[in-house]
Amino acid sequence: MTDQASLLQEEIRITPKFRVAGRVEGLFRTEAPEDFQTVAVESLELTFEGIPGDRHAGMTRKSGGREPWYPRGTEMCNERQVSILSGVELSRIADLMELDEIRPEWIGGNIILSGIANLTRLPPRTRLVFESGTVIRIDGDNLPCRFAGEAIASNYPDREGLDLLFPKKARGLRGLVGYIEKPGVIAPGEAVTAHISEQWIYPRD
């Protein structure tokens, strides 16, 4: 078996922490907890439970297909309180799917940002620190699913197969999910800074 202590000392390349500046371009929330698609709002209140009244609000949530290690419906920590998207990445997905556009509202987006390249690839543990002082901790990328694909397809009734095409084309571009680390109110036009922690690739045996 590989000596892991030796690997940690000699072979793991560590990227130092750094920051990237961006801006809030739009904010959205569901009008009712049972809704999937969101609507634009002038500001978002973010609490320790997420967005009050939003579909994904709550300190906990029920496990689903993304958590095969739990029986479906197991109560667990809610690390998916908000959906964060990039306008550039949405345009890229639309191009790959040969569509005129994909709006953040269609796929349940809450926050759309600009200025942060490759937003979906921000690593877990990244902190998004907003000008207002609000902080969102990133859990990870949001894997594209057929459910979101169906929402897009409903806006293009003349195209078939979009529900299945979206998961194929949107991987690595679907945005991020995160939870509220420090509550507050955020607004469009507000500056945001991504605080990216030290990074490394843990080696396999």
Side-chain angles (χ1 to χ4, degrees):
M1 180 178 291
T2 303
D3 181 353
Q4 292 295 311
S6 174
L7 286 173
L8 286 171
Q9 294 172 6
E10 298 178 7
E11 295 187 22
I12 292 183
R13 176 176 176 269
I14 296 178
T15 300
K17 63 182 180 180
F18 62 101
R19 301 177 183 180
V20 180
R23 188 164 299 277
V24 177
E25 295 297 334
L27 299 170
F28 312 85
R29 56 162 295 157
T30 57
E31 294 186 303
E34 63 271 18
D35 294 342
F36 174 73
Q37 296 192 37
T38 52
V39 296
V41 294
E42 294 182 358
S43 64
L44 268 186
E45 177 188 6
L46 301 177
T47 74
F48 285 123
E49 294 190 349
I51 303 167
D54 186 79
R55 175 185 178 91
H56 295 104
M59 297 290 288
T60 64
R61 67 179 181 89
K62 302 294 186 181
S63 65
R66 293 183 177 89
E67 297 84 29
W69 45 89
Y70 296 134
R72 188 178 290 266
T74 300
E75 188 172 19
M76 58 177 286
C77 173
N78 184 10
E79 82 292 5
R80 300 175 60 85
Q81 293 176 336
V82 290
S83 168
I84 304 155
L85 302 169
S86 159
V88 171
E89 290 180 339
L90 288 181
S91 294
R92 176 59 178 158
I93 298 170
D95 288 344
L96 292 171
M97 295 178 66
E98 299 181 349
L99 300 175
D100 291 336
E101 64 174 348
I102 295 176
R103 297 181 184 178
E105 303 98 308
W106 297 350
I107 57 174
N110 298 124
I111 302 170
I112 187 164
L113 301 179
S114 64
I116 301 178
N118 302 309
L119 179 78
T120 298
R121 295 306 189 187
L122 285 180
R125 292 201 306 150
T126 295
R127 283 183 172 89
L128 295 179
V129 180
F130 294 82
E131 187 177 351
S132 61
T134 307
V135 179
I136 295 175
R137 179 73 76 92
I138 298 304
D139 178 75
D141 64 320
N142 193 3
L143 294 178
C145 64
R146 184 175 180 177
F147 192 49
E150 290 173 350
I152 294 170
S154 69
N155 291 277
Y156 293 97
D158 296 333
R159 283 283 304 276
E160 295 183 359
L162 293 179
D163 57 332
L164 296 176
L165 185 62
F166 176 72
K168 295 178 181 179
K169 299 299 185 181
R171 193 172 184 88
L173 298 167
R174 171 66 171 88
L176 302 161
V177 290
Y179 57 92
I180 311 309
E181 184 173 86
K182 184 174 180 293
V185 177
I186 60 176
E190 188 169 330
V192 59
T193 302
H195 292 246
I196 300 165
S197 302
E198 284 186 338
Q199 300 172 70
W200 53 84
I201 301 298
Y202 187 81
R204 300 178 63 179
D205 290 343

